[in-house]
Amino acid sequence: MTTTTDLPAGRARTRTATSKQPKRQREGAAWVFLSPWVLGAAVLTLLPMAVSLYLSFTDYDLFSAPHWVGLRNYTQMFTEDPRYWRSVGTTLTYVVIAVPLQLGLALVVALALKNMKRGKGFYRSAFYAPSLLGASMSVALVWRAIFNDGGTVDHLLGTGGWVNRPGWALLAVALLTVWQFGAPMVIFLAGLQQIPGELYEAAQVDGASRWRQFLSITVPMLSPVIFFNLVLQTIQAFQVFTPAFAVSAGKGGPADSTLFYTLYLYDRGFVASHMGYASAMAWVLLLVIGAVTAVLFRTSRSWVFYASEGDR
Amino acid sequence: MTTQTSTPTRTTVSASTADARKPIAWRRVALHAGCLAALLVMLYPLAWLLATSLKPANEVIASLNLLPSHLEWSNYTTALDGVNNVSVWRLLGNSLLIAGGAVVGNVLSCSLAAYAFARLRFRFRGPLFAFMIATIMLPHHAVLIPQYIIFNKLGMVNTYWPLILPKFLATEAFFVFLIVQFMRGLPRELEEAARIDGCGPFRSFFLVILPLTRPALITTAIFTFIWTWNDFFTQLIYLFSPEKFTLTLALRSFVDASSQSAFGPMFAMSVIALLPIVLFFLAFQRFLVEGMANSGIKG
């Protein structure tokens, strides 16, 4: 994970100096290889970020020129728009429910499969399959039908359709995410396989219980992978869109209970043509995701353990 | 990539103590039973989808029964007619064109950038690499609106360019990172030998490195295909002519209508839309699973 650090500039220079080709020419080759990425990063990432920051201080409907309004979008968002806060609440609730459940399940299944002799490859692939299918509109539509009035969940639990009830609709979307625990599970499993078996053997000799082994060996040794999954899934969860759109037919209902942040952003920008307002929403999302990631990284120092820290 | 194959042989040793055999056998049975039960629950939505796509209209929501009283193939013939007078074949072709373009773009541009980051020396390499990694975490929405404005100014809204062009510019940093990680595992001596034989960086990239990177490139191609195929948001904002719709967007038209009579054809079309992913999954599951497993943990 700490891949950026291994480029000692000094050594690089001596290496290129000894090769026969002039340094300038070799450096030029690198930039040729890099040119598509540089163009993309400049025109499709950096410039748009700057422009969206600018637009967030304007009134802009895509047709007439942007009109500077200062902090108006932000103040309106934070103080006069209850639907905005609704979308924030919905998204945060969803992240807090879906991500721990999904990662917890992924870890449990990975632990179950870890020492399996037969069928491990089969289960691994089978549990992974929903992760690929689940992002599709097809599965989102199935979800809506299963959790609708008269759908399977209604029949089994007698709770009525979830997608028509505020609060429950959000849970239905969260369950779709939990259902897709396959991707983090596969990563957990690969991580578990890299823990040296001697550690467990030594602990067994010392008479450590399975639970003790889990807490004292598995969790610390797996912590970088847990951290990796946590960051990745959290960032993804903040941006969930397709299932929310499908479950509520694009409207975020019932009673705005599935009005996810991105759905509201889409609604403001592309349905209502308030591009300035949507840009402000996008920048707040960017800052929040940045802040959450930073907090995760900060707290990780106390619980993420890098076994090979010494030789990096 | 093939670390998986060596593990089963090792684990058999630890279980060979005779007196421990019996309880472990029971535990194993319970484990398999649990896994199979979990699988049944997980596969239920997909079984439901397949069953419903073959149900007559009056049975769709009436009961818990998965099996239809008779197979209603007309759902599929209706689905083949498509939506808004655009046939499913056209929609399928549109989806394939976008996904195919994205695959070519991503494999080409991401491998070029990855080679520079993994193997070549240039100024600002460290900071640029850090920036590239940071863009993996960048929410798409932060660049969405200006990108839309750019493509709008270029007259490319309601064409496939906004969906394909960015892939030729290595905008999906996740794949650049994936290929960088893989290339770092290749021995440097290969390029040094190639250099002594007179290969410049371009020839050694195309003749030496690229063929060896094939597993990472296949992983990139498959994931790009599936993610582009499933993508909804980008298609939703950039495409609005029905004849340019993808399967995903056509399904969206059902979302608004949502009358029960359209349920059968809607789910028949959903099956058609999922079919390529299922086929890809069955054909390439090893690459998919291991590509995911290797995506971040081999730092």
Side-chain angles (χ1 to χ4, degrees), chain A residues 122-158:
Chain A
F122 165 74
Y123 289 125
R124 198 174 63 139
S125 291
F127 283 124
Y128 179 60
S131 290
L132 286 173
L133 305 179
S136 65
M137 185 48 96
S138 304
V139 170
L141 290 174
V142 171
W143 223 253
R144 185 172 69 156
I146 288 179
F147 285 93
N148 212 334
D149 275 328
T152 309
V153 171
D154 184 7
H155 272 289
L156 283 179
L157 303 178

mmCIF file of all heavy atoms in Angstrom, chain A residues 122-158:
data_model
loop_
_atom_site.group_PDB
_atom_site.id
_atom_site.type_symbol
_atom_site.label_atom_id
_atom_site.label_comp_id
_atom_site.label_asym_id
_atom_site.label_seq_id
_atom_site.Cartn_x
_atom_site.Cartn_y
_atom_site.Cartn_z
ATOM 1 N N PHE A 122 -14.861 -23.005 -5.605
ATOM 2 C CA PHE A 122 -16.251 -22.891 -6.039
ATOM 3 C C PHE A 122 -16.997 -21.839 -5.224
ATOM 4 O O PHE A 122 -17.625 -20.931 -5.771
ATOM 5 C CB PHE A 122 -16.947 -24.251 -5.913
ATOM 6 C CG PHE A 122 -18.440 -24.169 -5.989
ATOM 7 C CD1 PHE A 122 -19.075 -23.941 -7.196
ATOM 8 C CD2 PHE A 122 -19.215 -24.302 -4.843
ATOM 9 C CE1 PHE A 122 -20.455 -23.848 -7.279
ATOM 10 C CE2 PHE A 122 -20.597 -24.207 -4.907
ATOM 11 C CZ PHE A 122 -21.220 -23.977 -6.122
ATOM 12 N N TYR A 123 -16.905 -21.947 -3.881
ATOM 13 C CA TYR A 123 -17.614 -20.978 -3.029
ATOM 14 C C TYR A 123 -17.111 -19.561 -3.269
ATOM 15 O O TYR A 123 -17.875 -18.607 -3.323
ATOM 16 C CB TYR A 123 -17.428 -21.325 -1.550
ATOM 17 C CG TYR A 123 -18.172 -22.556 -1.104
ATOM 18 C CD1 TYR A 123 -17.516 -23.596 -0.483
ATOM 19 C CD2 TYR A 123 -19.549 -22.652 -1.295
ATOM 20 C CE1 TYR A 123 -18.203 -24.733 -0.073
ATOM 21 C CE2 TYR A 123 -20.239 -23.779 -0.883
ATOM 22 C CZ TYR A 123 -19.558 -24.821 -0.277
ATOM 23 O OH TYR A 123 -20.243 -25.918 0.127
ATOM 24 N N ARG A 124 -15.799 -19.467 -3.403
ATOM 25 C CA ARG A 124 -15.196 -18.153 -3.599
ATOM 26 C C ARG A 124 -15.793 -17.476 -4.831
ATOM 27 O O ARG A 124 -16.191 -16.318 -4.802
ATOM 28 C CB ARG A 124 -13.676 -18.321 -3.753
ATOM 29 C CG ARG A 124 -12.885 -17.080 -3.536
ATOM 30 C CD ARG A 124 -11.400 -17.396 -3.574
ATOM 31 N NE ARG A 124 -10.996 -17.901 -4.881
ATOM 32 C CZ ARG A 124 -9.856 -17.543 -5.489
ATOM 33 N NH1 ARG A 124 -9.041 -16.696 -4.897
ATOM 34 N NH2 ARG A 124 -9.536 -18.039 -6.656
ATOM 35 N N SER A 125 -15.874 -18.212 -5.917
ATOM 36 C CA SER A 125 -16.443 -17.655 -7.140
ATOM 37 C C SER A 125 -17.932 -17.389 -6.991
ATOM 38 O O SER A 125 -18.439 -16.360 -7.425
ATOM 39 C CB SER A 125 -16.207 -18.603 -8.315
ATOM 40 O OG SER A 125 -14.849 -18.629 -8.624
ATOM 41 N N ALA A 126 -18.647 -18.341 -6.367
ATOM 42 C CA ALA A 126 -20.102 -18.205 -6.269
ATOM 43 C C ALA A 126 -20.494 -17.011 -5.402
ATOM 44 O O ALA A 126 -21.399 -16.251 -5.747
ATOM 45 C CB ALA A 126 -20.702 -19.490 -5.696
ATOM 46 N N PHE A 127 -19.797 -16.836 -4.272
ATOM 47 C CA PHE A 127 -20.109 -15.694 -3.407
ATOM 48 C C PHE A 127 -19.704 -14.379 -4.062
ATOM 49 O O PHE A 127 -20.232 -13.320 -3.744
ATOM 50 C CB PHE A 127 -19.405 -15.821 -2.046
ATOM 51 C CG PHE A 127 -20.070 -16.793 -1.117
ATOM 52 C CD1 PHE A 127 -19.360 -17.849 -0.568
ATOM 53 C CD2 PHE A 127 -21.407 -16.652 -0.780
ATOM 54 C CE1 PHE A 127 -19.965 -18.754 0.290
ATOM 55 C CE2 PHE A 127 -22.025 -17.545 0.076
ATOM 56 C CZ PHE A 127 -21.312 -18.596 0.605
ATOM 57 N N TYR A 128 -18.750 -14.475 -4.967
ATOM 58 C CA TYR A 128 -18.278 -13.258 -5.619
ATOM 59 C C TYR A 128 -19.230 -12.784 -6.718
ATOM 60 O O TYR A 128 -19.323 -11.584 -6.985
ATOM 61 C CB TYR A 128 -16.878 -13.504 -6.203
ATOM 62 C CG TYR A 128 -16.295 -12.325 -6.917
ATOM 63 C CD1 TYR A 128 -16.088 -11.119 -6.232
ATOM 64 C CD2 TYR A 128 -15.970 -12.388 -8.261
ATOM 65 C CE1 TYR A 128 -15.561 -10.031 -6.891
ATOM 66 C CE2 TYR A 128 -15.438 -11.295 -8.919
ATOM 67 C CZ TYR A 128 -15.241 -10.124 -8.224
ATOM 68 O OH TYR A 128 -14.735 -9.038 -8.869
ATOM 69 N N ALA A 129 -19.936 -13.729 -7.328
ATOM 70 C CA ALA A 129 -20.785 -13.399 -8.484
ATOM 71 C C ALA A 129 -21.722 -12.203 -8.261
ATOM 72 O O ALA A 129 -21.794 -11.313 -9.113
ATOM 73 C CB ALA A 129 -21.573 -14.633 -8.913
ATOM 74 N N PRO A 130 -22.457 -12.126 -7.122
ATOM 75 C CA PRO A 130 -23.357 -10.978 -6.953
ATOM 76 C C PRO A 130 -22.650 -9.622 -6.979
ATOM 77 O O PRO A 130 -23.265 -8.619 -7.339
ATOM 78 C CB PRO A 130 -23.983 -11.229 -5.573
ATOM 79 C CG PRO A 130 -23.910 -12.695 -5.397
ATOM 80 C CD PRO A 130 -22.628 -13.109 -6.043
ATOM 81 N N SER A 131 -21.366 -9.599 -6.630
ATOM 82 C CA SER A 131 -20.641 -8.329 -6.655
ATOM 83 C C SER A 131 -20.555 -7.765 -8.061
ATOM 84 O O SER A 131 -20.482 -6.558 -8.255
ATOM 85 C CB SER A 131 -19.229 -8.500 -6.113
ATOM 86 O OG SER A 131 -19.279 -8.727 -4.731
ATOM 87 N N LEU A 132 -20.505 -8.659 -9.043
ATOM 88 C CA LEU A 132 -20.421 -8.195 -10.428
ATOM 89 C C LEU A 132 -21.800 -7.862 -10.990
ATOM 90 O O LEU A 132 -21.960 -6.910 -11.734
ATOM 91 C CB LEU A 132 -19.771 -9.279 -11.293
ATOM 92 C CG LEU A 132 -18.279 -9.443 -11.098
ATOM 93 C CD1 LEU A 132 -17.791 -10.638 -11.868
ATOM 94 C CD2 LEU A 132 -17.558 -8.189 -11.541
ATOM 95 N N LEU A 133 -22.788 -8.657 -10.607
ATOM 96 C CA LEU A 133 -24.124 -8.459 -11.166
ATOM 97 C C LEU A 133 -24.867 -7.334 -10.467
ATOM 98 O O LEU A 133 -25.710 -6.668 -11.062
ATOM 99 C CB LEU A 133 -24.943 -9.745 -11.028
ATOM 100 C CG LEU A 133 -24.330 -11.009 -11.610
ATOM 101 C CD1 LEU A 133 -25.241 -12.192 -11.364
ATOM 102 C CD2 LEU A 133 -24.093 -10.834 -13.098
ATOM 103 N N GLY A 134 -24.542 -7.130 -9.193
ATOM 104 C CA GLY A 134 -25.368 -6.274 -8.343
ATOM 105 C C GLY A 134 -25.379 -4.814 -8.721
ATOM 106 O O GLY A 134 -26.294 -4.082 -8.368
ATOM 107 N N ALA A 135 -24.352 -4.351 -9.455
ATOM 108 C CA ALA A 135 -24.319 -2.944 -9.817
ATOM 109 C C ALA A 135 -25.243 -2.649 -10.992
ATOM 110 O O ALA A 135 -25.390 -1.518 -11.396
ATOM 111 C CB ALA A 135 -22.890 -2.532 -10.166
ATOM 112 N N SER A 136 -25.867 -3.690 -11.523
ATOM 113 C CA SER A 136 -26.648 -3.502 -12.748
ATOM 114 C C SER A 136 -28.078 -3.073 -12.454
ATOM 115 O O SER A 136 -28.613 -3.309 -11.378
ATOM 116 C CB SER A 136 -26.666 -4.805 -13.540
ATOM 117 O OG SER A 136 -27.367 -5.785 -12.798
ATOM 118 N N MET A 137 -28.683 -2.451 -13.450
ATOM 119 C CA MET A 137 -30.084 -2.068 -13.354
ATOM 120 C C MET A 137 -30.963 -3.301 -13.211
ATOM 121 O O MET A 137 -31.941 -3.296 -12.475
ATOM 122 C CB MET A 137 -30.439 -1.268 -14.607
ATOM 123 C CG MET A 137 -31.821 -0.679 -14.620
ATOM 124 S SD MET A 137 -32.302 0.209 -13.132
ATOM 125 C CE MET A 137 -31.951 1.866 -13.568
ATOM 126 N N SER A 138 -30.590 -4.388 -13.888
ATOM 127 C CA SER A 138 -31.396 -5.608 -13.830
ATOM 128 C C SER A 138 -31.612 -6.058 -12.385
ATOM 129 O O SER A 138 -32.738 -6.321 -11.966
ATOM 130 C CB SER A 138 -30.702 -6.743 -14.590
ATOM 131 O OG SER A 138 -30.447 -6.358 -15.912
ATOM 132 N N VAL A 139 -30.527 -6.155 -11.641
ATOM 133 C CA VAL A 139 -30.640 -6.633 -10.270
ATOM 134 C C VAL A 139 -31.369 -5.613 -9.401
ATOM 135 O O VAL A 139 -32.164 -5.974 -8.532
ATOM 136 C CB VAL A 139 -29.246 -6.972 -9.695
ATOM 137 C CG1 VAL A 139 -29.324 -7.225 -8.198
ATOM 138 C CG2 VAL A 139 -28.674 -8.182 -10.402
ATOM 139 N N ALA A 140 -31.146 -4.336 -9.663
ATOM 140 C CA ALA A 140 -31.852 -3.301 -8.898
ATOM 141 C C ALA A 140 -33.367 -3.429 -9.090
ATOM 142 O O ALA A 140 -34.142 -3.250 -8.147
ATOM 143 C CB ALA A 140 -31.365 -1.917 -9.312
ATOM 144 N N LEU A 141 -33.781 -3.762 -10.315
ATOM 145 C CA LEU A 141 -35.210 -3.954 -10.576
ATOM 146 C C LEU A 141 -35.747 -5.183 -9.854
ATOM 147 O O LEU A 141 -36.851 -5.170 -9.310
ATOM 148 C CB LEU A 141 -35.459 -4.081 -12.088
ATOM 149 C CG LEU A 141 -35.263 -2.794 -12.887
ATOM 150 C CD1 LEU A 141 -35.381 -3.079 -14.380
ATOM 151 C CD2 LEU A 141 -36.286 -1.740 -12.476
ATOM 152 N N VAL A 142 -34.953 -6.254 -9.844
ATOM 153 C CA VAL A 142 -35.339 -7.449 -9.092
ATOM 154 C C VAL A 142 -35.524 -7.093 -7.629
ATOM 155 O O VAL A 142 -36.495 -7.486 -6.979
ATOM 156 C CB VAL A 142 -34.264 -8.553 -9.236
ATOM 157 C CG1 VAL A 142 -34.547 -9.702 -8.279
ATOM 158 C CG2 VAL A 142 -34.198 -9.047 -10.664
ATOM 159 N N TRP A 143 -34.586 -6.310 -7.122
ATOM 160 C CA TRP A 143 -34.634 -5.906 -5.713
ATOM 161 C C TRP A 143 -35.936 -5.177 -5.405
ATOM 162 O O TRP A 143 -36.591 -5.440 -4.414
ATOM 163 C CB TRP A 143 -33.441 -4.999 -5.414
ATOM 164 C CG TRP A 143 -32.804 -5.346 -4.112
ATOM 165 C CD1 TRP A 143 -32.888 -4.631 -2.962
ATOM 166 C CD2 TRP A 143 -32.019 -6.500 -3.826
ATOM 167 N NE1 TRP A 143 -32.196 -5.271 -1.970
ATOM 168 C CE2 TRP A 143 -31.655 -6.421 -2.465
ATOM 169 C CE3 TRP A 143 -31.596 -7.590 -4.572
ATOM 170 C CZ2 TRP A 143 -30.883 -7.393 -1.846
ATOM 171 C CZ3 TRP A 143 -30.827 -8.564 -3.948
ATOM 172 C CH2 TRP A 143 -30.487 -8.464 -2.618
ATOM 173 N N ARG A 144 -36.284 -4.262 -6.302
ATOM 174 C CA ARG A 144 -37.507 -3.499 -6.075
ATOM 175 C C ARG A 144 -38.713 -4.431 -6.035
ATOM 176 O O ARG A 144 -39.589 -4.287 -5.188
ATOM 177 C CB ARG A 144 -37.708 -2.450 -7.171
ATOM 178 C CG ARG A 144 -38.902 -1.588 -6.873
ATOM 179 C CD ARG A 144 -39.004 -0.435 -7.810
ATOM 180 N NE ARG A 144 -39.350 -0.869 -9.168
ATOM 181 C CZ ARG A 144 -39.947 -0.076 -10.046
ATOM 182 N NH1 ARG A 144 -40.244 1.156 -9.720
ATOM 183 N NH2 ARG A 144 -40.224 -0.511 -11.251
ATOM 184 N N ALA A 145 -38.738 -5.419 -6.954
ATOM 185 C CA ALA A 145 -39.889 -6.319 -7.012
ATOM 186 C C ALA A 145 -39.955 -7.212 -5.773
ATOM 187 O O ALA A 145 -41.021 -7.441 -5.204
ATOM 188 C CB ALA A 145 -39.829 -7.162 -8.280
ATOM 189 N N ILE A 146 -38.792 -7.718 -5.340
ATOM 190 C CA ILE A 146 -38.770 -8.620 -4.185
ATOM 191 C C ILE A 146 -39.191 -7.895 -2.909
ATOM 192 O O ILE A 146 -39.873 -8.445 -2.055
ATOM 193 C CB ILE A 146 -37.359 -9.243 -4.018
ATOM 194 C CG1 ILE A 146 -37.099 -10.261 -5.124
ATOM 195 C CG2 ILE A 146 -37.223 -9.917 -2.668
ATOM 196 C CD1 ILE A 146 -35.732 -10.897 -5.053
ATOM 197 N N PHE A 147 -38.819 -6.641 -2.801
ATOM 198 C CA PHE A 147 -39.131 -5.883 -1.588
ATOM 199 C C PHE A 147 -40.397 -5.035 -1.743
ATOM 200 O O PHE A 147 -40.681 -4.188 -0.910
ATOM 201 C CB PHE A 147 -37.944 -4.984 -1.198
ATOM 202 C CG PHE A 147 -36.805 -5.744 -0.592
ATOM 203 C CD1 PHE A 147 -35.756 -6.209 -1.371
ATOM 204 C CD2 PHE A 147 -36.794 -6.039 0.768
ATOM 205 C CE1 PHE A 147 -34.713 -6.925 -0.814
ATOM 206 C CE2 PHE A 147 -35.751 -6.755 1.338
ATOM 207 C CZ PHE A 147 -34.707 -7.200 0.542
ATOM 208 N N ASN A 148 -41.127 -5.271 -2.846
ATOM 209 C CA ASN A 148 -42.346 -4.492 -3.053
ATOM 210 C C ASN A 148 -43.541 -5.157 -2.369
ATOM 211 O O ASN A 148 -43.444 -6.274 -1.878
ATOM 212 C CB ASN A 148 -42.614 -4.373 -4.564
ATOM 213 C CG ASN A 148 -43.293 -3.059 -4.890
ATOM 214 O OD1 ASN A 148 -43.974 -2.478 -4.044
ATOM 215 N ND2 ASN A 148 -43.098 -2.592 -6.106
ATOM 216 N N ASP A 149 -44.663 -4.469 -2.358
ATOM 217 C CA ASP A 149 -45.901 -5.082 -1.870
ATOM 218 C C ASP A 149 -46.182 -6.335 -2.674
ATOM 219 O O ASP A 149 -46.156 -6.308 -3.904
ATOM 220 C CB ASP A 149 -47.074 -4.102 -2.057
ATOM 221 C CG ASP A 149 -47.161 -3.143 -0.885
ATOM 222 O OD1 ASP A 149 -46.807 -3.552 0.236
ATOM 223 O OD2 ASP A 149 -47.571 -1.995 -1.097
ATOM 224 N N GLY A 150 -46.462 -7.443 -1.982
ATOM 225 C CA GLY A 150 -46.723 -8.680 -2.698
ATOM 226 C C GLY A 150 -45.471 -9.400 -3.138
ATOM 227 O O GLY A 150 -45.547 -10.466 -3.738
ATOM 228 N N GLY A 151 -44.307 -8.823 -2.890
ATOM 229 C CA GLY A 151 -43.043 -9.467 -3.252
ATOM 230 C C GLY A 151 -42.671 -10.520 -2.226
ATOM 231 O O GLY A 151 -43.383 -10.751 -1.246
ATOM 232 N N THR A 152 -41.540 -11.166 -2.453
ATOM 233 C CA THR A 152 -41.122 -12.276 -1.599
ATOM 234 C C THR A 152 -41.019 -11.887 -0.127
ATOM 235 O O THR A 152 -41.491 -12.609 0.752
ATOM 236 C CB THR A 152 -39.750 -12.797 -2.065
ATOM 237 O OG1 THR A 152 -39.830 -13.034 -3.460
ATOM 238 C CG2 THR A 152 -39.404 -14.067 -1.340
ATOM 239 N N VAL A 153 -40.424 -10.750 0.135
ATOM 240 C CA VAL A 153 -40.204 -10.343 1.524
ATOM 241 C C VAL A 153 -41.542 -10.104 2.231
ATOM 242 O O VAL A 153 -41.742 -10.500 3.380
ATOM 243 C CB VAL A 153 -39.320 -9.080 1.573
ATOM 244 C CG1 VAL A 153 -39.266 -8.519 2.977
ATOM 245 C CG2 VAL A 153 -37.923 -9.430 1.101
ATOM 246 N N ASP A 154 -42.467 -9.511 1.512
ATOM 247 C CA ASP A 154 -43.816 -9.307 2.034
ATOM 248 C C ASP A 154 -44.437 -10.661 2.399
ATOM 249 O O ASP A 154 -44.986 -10.845 3.496
ATOM 250 C CB ASP A 154 -44.649 -8.586 0.965
ATOM 251 C CG ASP A 154 -46.044 -8.234 1.468
ATOM 252 O OD1 ASP A 154 -46.312 -8.424 2.666
ATOM 253 O OD2 ASP A 154 -46.847 -7.764 0.644
ATOM 254 N N HIS A 155 -44.327 -11.642 1.495
ATOM 255 C CA HIS A 155 -44.897 -12.964 1.727
ATOM 256 C C HIS A 155 -44.259 -13.653 2.921
ATOM 257 O O HIS A 155 -44.933 -14.245 3.754
ATOM 258 C CB HIS A 155 -44.697 -13.843 0.483
ATOM 259 C CG HIS A 155 -45.795 -13.696 -0.506
ATOM 260 N ND1 HIS A 155 -47.061 -14.180 -0.294
ATOM 261 C CD2 HIS A 155 -45.827 -13.105 -1.721
ATOM 262 C CE1 HIS A 155 -47.825 -13.900 -1.334
ATOM 263 N NE2 HIS A 155 -47.092 -13.237 -2.224
ATOM 264 N N LEU A 156 -42.919 -13.569 2.984
ATOM 265 C CA LEU A 156 -42.196 -14.313 4.016
ATOM 266 C C LEU A 156 -42.340 -13.687 5.388
ATOM 267 O O LEU A 156 -42.555 -14.367 6.381
ATOM 268 C CB LEU A 156 -40.713 -14.399 3.654
ATOM 269 C CG LEU A 156 -40.322 -15.416 2.581
ATOM 270 C CD1 LEU A 156 -38.831 -15.350 2.335
ATOM 271 C CD2 LEU A 156 -40.735 -16.822 3.002
ATOM 272 N N LEU A 157 -42.198 -12.370 5.454
ATOM 273 C CA LEU A 157 -42.139 -11.709 6.753
ATOM 274 C C LEU A 157 -43.444 -11.018 7.119
ATOM 275 O O LEU A 157 -43.639 -10.617 8.261
ATOM 276 C CB LEU A 157 -40.997 -10.676 6.771
ATOM 277 C CG LEU A 157 -39.606 -11.218 6.449
ATOM 278 C CD1 LEU A 157 -38.584 -10.099 6.449
ATOM 279 C CD2 LEU A 157 -39.214 -12.299 7.451
ATOM 280 N N GLY A 158 -44.329 -10.877 6.134
ATOM 281 C CA GLY A 158 -45.601 -10.210 6.408
ATOM 282 C C GLY A 158 -45.440 -8.759 6.807
ATOM 283 O O GLY A 158 -46.293 -8.183 7.477
#
